[in-house]
Amino acid sequence: MQLVATCMFGLERFLGDEIDALGCKRIETIDGRVVFEATEKDIAKTNINLRCAERILISVGSFEARTFTELFDGVKSLPWENYIGKNDAFPVKGHSIKSTLFSVPDCQSIIKKAVVERLSSKYGIKWFEETGILYQIEFFILKDKVTVMIDTSGVGLHKRGYRPAAGAAPLRETLAAAMVLTSRPRENVLLWDPFCGSGTIPIEAAMIMTNRAPGLNREFSAEKFDFLNKIIWKEAREEARALIDDSNAFEAFGSDIDKNVLEFAKENAKRAGVSDRIKFFEADARKIKKPEDRRGTIVCNPPYGERLLTPKEIEVLYREVGKNFASLAPWQVYILSSCFDFEGLYGKRADKVRKLYNGMIPCNLYQYFKNNKI
């Protein structure tokens, strides 16, 4: 079968590498998604193990469609009865980009009608109460190519289960994981987030360094699917638990000027099973000092001026942070920001800049590693 892993824009390379590491064969990579060959067992493995994916979907089929008739016929021709029972629920949602069929509500209606007619002909019934298992149908139309899928994740995969409470401007867990991976965390290098908020970056770092699967402690909608053997979930979780490695000495710091949010961070780390790896404490990022005789990397997501602080306050903060972080050399520094003049305010041009998105906010990950080598 073919699976589709979706992700935030900019994380495709990280996601592709993760899929490769799980032994699956990539077929296609486009903005925000990776298509790959997989088995039923891989539905469980990818949901549990992928750090940068937002959802895992089963591709039911793909075809070209420029008219509603072609859309209807294409959807109706697919084997929906192999997945959806006569009592199950099957709502439809999706997106259309650069395509002749651009009206999402109209496409939803046509696809729903086509699935109903297909199932009606197979089950011999006209009315579907849809009171059973939920099979969320998703469609994606790009340049007139239609792909129809079934979501296996349910709640987005960025919701690991360890962060029921967060600060005023939370960083999505999948993006935090990608930031950490970019910084190349190592056992003997301290990772410090001086704007840690609810602790997402140091928690993701500790999970990566102890090889804790991000989805190990949550549930997925496909666990209820009748056409999947329930044993695949048990086996995937057992395999993931067996791979946890607590043997290294990796340590992370999480500090913040808001002592109240640090209590949330401590609880989140405890739920994630990595509280012994992270030291949380109150500190002003503009005044932090590096511990003597320790190598380190700063990975952080300071306020953007979107929800916390005013634009003027952000400018002052970035200038002061830039001056203080210079004193941390030769530490490497990785900073996510949506500020278009970040480098000017920070006082130094980045060695590399990666375009990313924090939710719907376009950002850049500014990377300082040359002349700051550890």
Side-chain angles (χ1 to χ4, degrees), residues 47-172:
N47 270 295
I48 290 170
N49 289 283
L50 293 180
R51 300 184 190 280
C52 297
E54 292 297 321
R55 293 184 183 279
I56 304 298
L57 305 108
I58 298 170
S59 177
V60 181
S62 297
F63 53 88
E64 298 284 332
R66 293 175 178 82
T67 67
F68 287 131
T69 298
E70 290 176 336
L71 178 63
F72 180 90
D73 291 342
V75 173
K76 186 179 177 181
S77 70
L78 299 174
W80 295 101
E81 67 278 3
N82 292 349
Y83 306 96
I84 303 170
K86 61 183 178 181
N87 296 315
D88 297 331
F90 47 100
V92 178
K93 63 181 180 181
H95 304 277
S96 179
I97 301 172
K98 299 178 182 178
S99 297
T100 306
L101 301 176
F102 61 86
S103 172
V104 170
D106 286 337
C107 290
Q108 284 177 291
S109 178
I110 294 295
I111 291 171
K112 180 73 174 185
K113 183 178 179 181
V115 176
V116 167
E117 288 212 13
R118 172 76 184 204
L119 295 178
S120 180
S121 67
K122 296 297 179 179
Y123 295 134
I125 57 177
K126 296 294 184 182
W127 177 256
F128 294 86
E129 294 186 359
E130 300 193 50
T131 56
I133 297 167
L134 173 65
Y135 291 85
Q136 178 66 61
I137 296 173
E138 294 205 16
F139 66 88
F140 181 63
I141 309 176
L142 176 64
K143 297 179 181 179
D144 298 323
K145 180 182 179 181
V146 181
T147 302
V148 280
M149 303 159 286
I150 295 175
D151 178 24
T152 70
S153 302
V155 176
L157 296 180
H158 67 277
K159 295 188 177 181
R160 322 289 206 206
Y162 66 72
R163 198 178 72 171
L171 176 71
R172 189 167 287 198

Side-chain angles (χ1 to χ4, degrees), residues 210-226:
T210 57
N211 204 31
R212 278 177 163 75
L216 193 54
N217 297 318
R218 54 157 287 177
E219 296 180 346
F220 309 93
S221 61
E223 292 187 64
K224 298 179 181 178
F225 290 0
D226 282 338

Side-chain angles (χ1 to χ4, degrees), residues 196-213:
C196 76
S198 56
T200 309
I201 290 174
I203 290 172
E204 290 293 323
M207 291 177 69
I208 289 170
M209 292 303 292
T210 57
N211 204 31
R212 278 177 163 75

